[in-house]
Amino acid sequence: MASNISICGICDLRHLSNPSTHWCQDCDEALCLECKEHHTLLKATRGHTTIPINDYENLPAFITDIKQYCDMHNEKYQNYCQKHECPVCCKCIQDHAKCTENIVHIETVIKHSKTSQNFDDLNQSVSDLQTNITQMQKNREDNLTQLADQCKSAIKKIREFRIKVNHHLDAIEKGLITKLQDAENKCSQQIKEVIKSLIELESEISNFDNILQGIKQHASELQVYLATREIGKQVSDKEKRLTSMMENKRFDNLTVSLEIDTKLKNILSDVKEFGTVSLETDPTNEKLINMKSRQAQITAVVKSFDDIKLKQVNKFDSGSKQVTGCIILPDGRMAFTEFGYKRLSIRKADGSPDFEIPLKESVAFDLTLVKDATVAVSSGNYIGDRKCIQIIDMNSREITKILDTTTRAYGVVCVNEKLVFCGYTPNRIYTIDVKTEQQSEISSTINVGRCSYITYFRNKFYMTNGRNHSVTSFDHKCNVIWSFNDVNMKTPKGIAVDNSGNVFVASLRSNNVTMISPDGSRAKQIVDQKNGLNEPCALHYDRSTNQLLVANLRGTVYLFNSGVDVHLLCEQVREY
């Protein structure tokens, strides 16, 4: 093999210097255009994966250093030792004689590495780390502004009082302002040092996202598997560094306050100082995202798709006649939108009636949890109604805010305090900020149908389209990840995702709930008419309890527990 990958490895053995155009991931060898063509046609190598040499060169060095062949025996890796966490060739296996129970075929380990839960979790860790850094940087910048405002306010107070006591206070006024400015400078310097550290930390990890995308597209499965471990360690180190900063109170707010001396009333005879400057530290309310849960090495324990079953634990009548949306609240209660009747129906955890909230501005189509006991209710399309999304406090049972929309809002989901919804006429994906009420269009290319529903999980959106009977998964930039159609999924409506990324879809016309695999390649009917479903429309998955809530359009509600069929799993283990 040529040490210079810019030269074709095969041609180099023939003492030729043809430039390489491709890289074979299975042979770990550079190929010119002619050799690549022969490589593709040969029976022994036609199944090998080749990528453009430029793409290979763009991979980080620690990725390209991961080889498919054993350095000691020049044999291709065929097995993996789980005890020593390393690939082994057919000759290396002799050195692992005591690891017999831990030796598995390498395909078992690296299969689907790019779409595995490990890879998704690592992506999420990088994303969380970037979010944490951005959040803390903004927090420090806000504190700078707050300090400046506090100092301005203090100076104004000083000046107002100064007018009343005439020129006698000139000297001590100047001294106090100096103290305030010194306090601000001291605090500002501390905060700037924290911001500088955050910027440096962000710079160190900003390249991880590009690296992950690059290795996902161009690295081999083995390279991806081993590389993610290395990247995971680096990400964990950065997370520990950020956590250490939090524990050392580097993110606590610094404040400046001013108290006017009461002796100023007798200023001509008694007062020697204009006032006092005090510095206080208020603990920050910010929290790092998922830091504790990501300290350990990234691992994944995912239930087998085939083994997941639903067990009915409750059935009741919601008292509603046209249920189009449902949700399980954090306290276990359930909320249902009743389209056409302009009301939100609340049920206790056991399904018994609790209370109702009337909606004046529009009918209720779908709803999503904003935070704690606050929900957002979309309007759908009803003649004469206001185009809006209503924010409701479940504790006070009042509408706290109404967000006007430029289009009819159907399916809605809350992502980072912003509502993402399926708009109709024009058919688009939109977002609206709950705080600022600013609305913007995310995409005009995603095929949105009337009455489309949408949900979100781990940086991915999932949307139903009842007109073409499809489910589409796409990212934040509206790049389609996968699209799924099935004859047993007619007029899909409500949609939800479990903790493993499995997608549940309620289909109105086929009277069933379909479960789609995380990569959109497989599906199965998990409950249907035999379980009592009749025009199921609304659906919600509570990831904290692993419960699925399904509501028929005419009001009958079913609550299921999600789990593995233990008997089936045992049978499969015995057969293996």
Side-chain angles (χ1 to χ4, degrees):
M1 182 190 305
S3 58
N4 182 2
I5 65 171
S6 63
I7 302 298
C8 173
I10 297 175
C11 292
D12 184 62
L13 295 175
R14 299 163 56 200
H15 304 292
L16 299 176
S17 299
N18 291 328
S20 60
T21 59
H22 288 78
W23 179 268
C24 178
Q25 295 180 331
D26 297 272
C27 298
D28 272 342
E29 193 165 43
L31 303 171
C32 65
L33 193 60
E34 182 179 355
C35 291
K36 187 260 183 181
E37 184 177 353
H38 288 295
H39 199 76
T40 305
L41 296 175
L42 284 174
K43 185 176 182 179
T45 57
R46 66 178 59 161
H48 288 193
T49 302
T50 59
I51 60 173
I53 196 68
N54 291 337
D55 292 338
Y56 179 78
E57 291 175 329
N58 288 333
L59 290 173
F62 76 94
I63 301 295
T64 57
D65 287 343
I66 300 172
K67 302 300 181 183
Q68 308 282 345
Y69 286 78
C70 174
D71 290 334
M72 185 179 298
H73 303 110
N74 198 29
E75 295 284 345
K76 188 172 183 178
Y77 292 127
Q78 296 179 344
N79 299 284
Y80 186 85
C81 178
Q82 294 176 318
K83 180 179 180 180
H84 295 95
E85 298 182 342
C86 66
V88 293
C89 71
C90 58
K91 294 181 180 178
C92 287
I93 204 167
Q94 298 175 4
D95 299 328
H96 294 261
K98 296 181 180 181
C99 309
T100 305
E101 296 181 356
N102 296 294
I103 298 294
V104 296
H105 196 279
I106 198 165
E107 285 297 325
T108 305
V109 178
I110 68 174
K111 187 178 181 181
H112 305 309
S113 291
K114 295 181 181 180
T115 57
S116 67
Q117 195 71 30
N118 281 15
F119 198 89
D120 286 343
D121 285 347
L122 187 55
N123 258 319
Q124 186 65 42
S125 293
V126 173
S127 176
D128 288 346
L129 193 54
Q130 290 174 324
T131 300
N132 287 334
I133 292 172
T134 301
Q135 176 179 309
M136 293 307 157
Q137 183 176 345
K138 183 179 183 299
N139 177 272
R140 296 300 83 213
E141 290 170 348
D142 290 343
N143 197 189
L144 276 177
T145 302
Q146 183 184 28
L147 283 169
D149 291 342
Q150 290 171 342
C151 287
K152 289 178 181 178
S153 177
I155 293 172
K156 180 180 179 182
K157 187 183 294 186
I158 293 169
R159 300 245 183 244
E160 290 174 350
F161 197 80
R162 179 69 180 81
I163 294 174
K164 297 178 182 180
V165 296
N166 216 337
H167 297 289
H168 176 75
L169 301 178
D170 285 343
I172 57 176
E173 175 192 14
K174 183 178 180 181
L176 184 58
I177 292 175
T178 301
K179 289 181 180 180
L180 282 168
Q181 291 172 339
D182 290 344
E184 181 186 6
N185 291 335
K186 181 179 179 181
C187 294
S188 297
Q189 183 61 34
Q190 293 179 21
I191 295 172
K192 288 177 180 178
E193 289 176 1
V194 174
I195 292 176
K196 181 180 179 182
S197 297
L198 290 172
I199 292 174
E200 291 175 354
L201 187 57
E202 181 181 32
S203 176
E204 292 174 8
I205 65 97
S206 62
N207 196 39
F208 283 160
D209 187 49
N210 293 331
I211 291 176
L212 288 173
Q213 296 304 318
I215 66 176
K216 182 174 182 179
Q217 295 178 13
H218 308 302
S220 68
E221 297 289 354
L222 174 61
Q223 291 172 332
V224 170
Y225 178 80
L226 297 179
T228 51
R229 297 177 62 82
E230 176 62 28
I231 297 175
K233 292 177 182 178
Q234 295 183 35
V235 170
S236 178
D237 290 341
K238 307 307 179 191
E239 291 175 335
K240 289 178 181 177
R241 181 177 170 187
L242 197 60
T243 301
S244 176
M245 293 175 70
M246 173 68 82
E247 293 173 349
N248 292 331
K249 300 182 178 181
R250 299 290 300 280
F251 300 136
D252 288 350
N253 286 339
L254 301 176
T255 60
V256 176
S257 61
L258 175 72
E259 183 178 353
I260 300 298
D261 197 324
T262 55
K263 295 180 180 180
L264 283 175
K265 295 180 180 179
N266 302 316
I267 189 171
L268 295 176
S269 58
D270 299 334
V271 177
K272 304 301 180 184
E273 292 185 357
F274 209 97
T276 58
V277 176
S278 60
L279 298 178
E280 297 178 1
T281 300
D282 295 332
T284 180
N285 293 323
E286 302 290 344
K287 294 182 180 180
L288 299 181
I289 302 173
N290 293 332
M291 294 301 291
K292 290 184 179 180
S293 63
R294 300 185 184 278
Q295 291 301 312
Q297 181 181 5
I298 298 173
T299 57
V301 180
V302 182
K303 297 176 182 177
S304 168
F305 179 83
D306 294 325
D307 295 333
I308 295 178
K309 306 292 180 183
L310 295 183
K311 180 181 179 181
Q312 182 179 314
V313 294
N314 198 2
K315 173 186 176 183
F316 58 91
D317 190 335
S318 66
S320 303
K321 302 301 180 184
Q322 197 172 0
V323 178
T324 53
C326 66
I327 192 173
I328 300 176
L329 299 171
D331 60 6
R333 291 181 298 172
M334 294 164 279
F336 302 89
T337 54
E338 192 170 1
F339 189 75
Y341 293 87
K342 292 188 177 182
R343 62 189 177 196
L344 193 62
S345 176
I346 313 301
R347 292 272 164 162
K348 297 178 181 178
D350 62 1
S352 60
D354 195 357
F355 59 89
E356 293 183 348
I357 300 177
L359 305 176
K360 299 179 180 180
E361 297 297 332
S362 68
V363 295
F365 181 79
D366 192 20
L367 75 166
T368 184
L369 185 70
V370 178
K371 66 175 181 178
D372 301 328
T374 303
V375 299
V377 180
S378 61
S379 62
N381 185 13
Y382 205 76
I383 298 175
D385 277 359
R386 183 175 175 179
K387 292 185 288 187
C388 64
I389 295 177
Q390 302 180 69
I391 308 299
I392 301 173
D393 187 323
M394 304 299 287
N395 291 329
S396 65
R397 306 182 187 182
E398 295 180 349
I399 300 172
T400 59
K401 183 181 286 189
I402 298 178
L403 308 175
D404 288 309
T405 58
T406 58
T407 181
R408 296 292 181 183
Y410 282 92
V412 61
V413 63
C414 184
V415 181
N416 299 327
E417 296 188 0
K418 291 185 178 181
L419 299 176
V420 179
F421 64 92
C422 299
Y424 185 73
T425 59
N427 299 23
R428 303 283 191 273
I429 303 292
Y430 298 90
T431 181
I432 186 169
D433 193 302
V434 177
K435 294 181 179 179
T436 65
E437 302 184 24
Q438 291 184 343
Q439 178 180 323
S440 59
E441 178 183 307
I442 296 180
S443 171
S444 60
T445 58
I446 299 295
N447 190 3
V448 181
R450 184 177 182 180
C451 301
S452 285
Y453 288 76
I454 190 169
T455 191
Y456 178 85
F457 181 65
R458 289 186 176 172
N459 298 321
K460 298 176 185 177
F461 291 98
Y462 302 85
M463 185 198 71
T464 59
N465 187 326
R467 287 192 171 183
N468 62 14
H469 314 290
S470 68
V471 172
T472 302
S473 171
F474 55 94
D475 60 22
H476 281 273
K477 297 180 181 179
C478 287
N479 298 312
V480 174
I481 300 171
W482 54 260
S483 183
F484 182 84
N485 297 80
D486 190 85
V487 294
N488 295 316
M489 192 177 70
K490 298 178 180 178
T491 316
K493 293 291 185 179
I495 187 168
V497 184
D498 70 8
N499 291 295
S500 299
N502 296 305
V503 183
F504 295 87
V505 182
S507 296
L508 188 73
R509 299 306 174 198
S510 51
N511 299 312
N512 62 6
V513 171
T514 301
M515 186 177 77
I516 306 171
S517 63
D519 60 0
S521 63
R522 304 173 60 194
K524 67 178 182 179
Q525 294 184 67
I526 197 158
V527 287
D528 52 26
Q529 283 182 301
K530 296 177 182 178
N531 304 96
L533 298 191
N534 183 19
E535 294 187 329
C537 186
L539 179 147
H540 175 78
Y541 191 94
D542 187 343
R543 286 191 282 271
S544 65
T545 61
N546 287 323
Q547 289 188 319
L548 181 70
L549 183 67
V550 183
N552 288 337
L553 184 64
R554 300 304 174 188
T556 305
V557 178
Y558 300 87
L559 185 64
F560 299 94
N561 277 342
S562 173
V564 173
D565 188 328
V566 177
H567 298 292
L568 176 61
L569 190 59
C570 290
E571 287 295 329
Q572 292 176 342
V573 171
R574 281 195 290 269
E575 289 176 5
Y576 179 75

